[in-house]
């Protein structure tokens, strides 16, 4: 049997790691069902905050999600966007807020560097 491990900030190059994306999909389905909210909120401690944020950083938005948000709610999204890019608020019900803030700042800088390299606008802090 394969050993599942939690992904931290960076994946090992070429390593295949099994991941659970159920919580990411639940967040996307909620957004599609409820439209463009003023403050799209991610509840990142639905399963360990670093793991959730790492998955959000590496998971591209599904084309169907982008199309649904446009057709249902008139929300335009870049085809190269990651799940991380669409959340403007990160909520934490338990844990250390200072550590979450530090992790989100690091992740935001990482994403904006990647977006700039791809010729995309930066995401607001």
């Amino acid at each position: 049997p394969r050993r599942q491990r939690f992904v931290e900030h960076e994946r090992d190059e070429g390593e295949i790691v099994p991941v659970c994306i159920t919580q990411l999909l639940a967040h996307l389905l909620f957004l599609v069902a409820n439209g463009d909210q003023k403050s799209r909120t991610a509840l990142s401690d639905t399963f360990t905050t670093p793991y959730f944020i790492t998955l959000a950083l590496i998971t591209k938005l599904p084309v169907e999600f982008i199309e649904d948000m446009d057709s249902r709610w008139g929300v335009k999204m870049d085809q190269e966007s990651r799940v991380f890019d669409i959340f403007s608020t990160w909520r934490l019900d338990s844990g250390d807020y200072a550590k979450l803030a530090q992790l989100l700042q690091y992740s935001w800088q990482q994403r904006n560097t990647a977006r700039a390299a791809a010729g995309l606008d930066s995401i607001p802090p």
Side-chain angles (χ1 to χ4, degrees), residues 42-114:
L43 179 56
S44 58
D45 61 350
T46 49
F47 71 121
T48 77
T49 299
Y51 190 56
F52 185 92
I53 291 172
T54 299
L55 287 180
L57 284 167
I58 64 174
T59 305
K60 287 179 76 172
L61 290 174
V63 173
E64 296 84 359
F65 173 79
I66 294 170
E67 291 170 352
D68 283 347
M69 288 299 286
D70 184 25
S71 66
R72 290 181 186 201
W73 307 107
V75 176
K76 305 285 186 210
M77 297 182 176
D78 296 316
Q79 296 286 330
E80 294 301 314
S81 289
R82 302 289 193 262
V83 172
F84 184 88
D85 302 354
I86 65 174
F87 294 114
S88 56
T89 302
W90 292 80
R91 194 178 100 198
L92 186 67
D93 286 345
S94 61
D96 187 326
Y97 277 96
K99 287 182 182 176
L100 175 64
Q102 183 179 22
L103 177 58
L104 285 171
Q105 181 66 26
Y106 169 84
S107 301
W108 175 80
Q109 290 171 341
Q110 182 181 0
R111 260 316 282 151
N112 276 327
T113 298

Side-chain angles (χ1 to χ4, degrees), residues 26-47:
H27 279 74
L28 296 180
L29 290 172
F30 180 84
L31 288 176
V32 167
N34 294 290
D36 183 36
Q37 300 136 8
K38 297 261 184 216
S39 177
R40 296 184 194 131
T41 301
L43 179 56
S44 58
D45 61 350
T46 49
F47 71 121

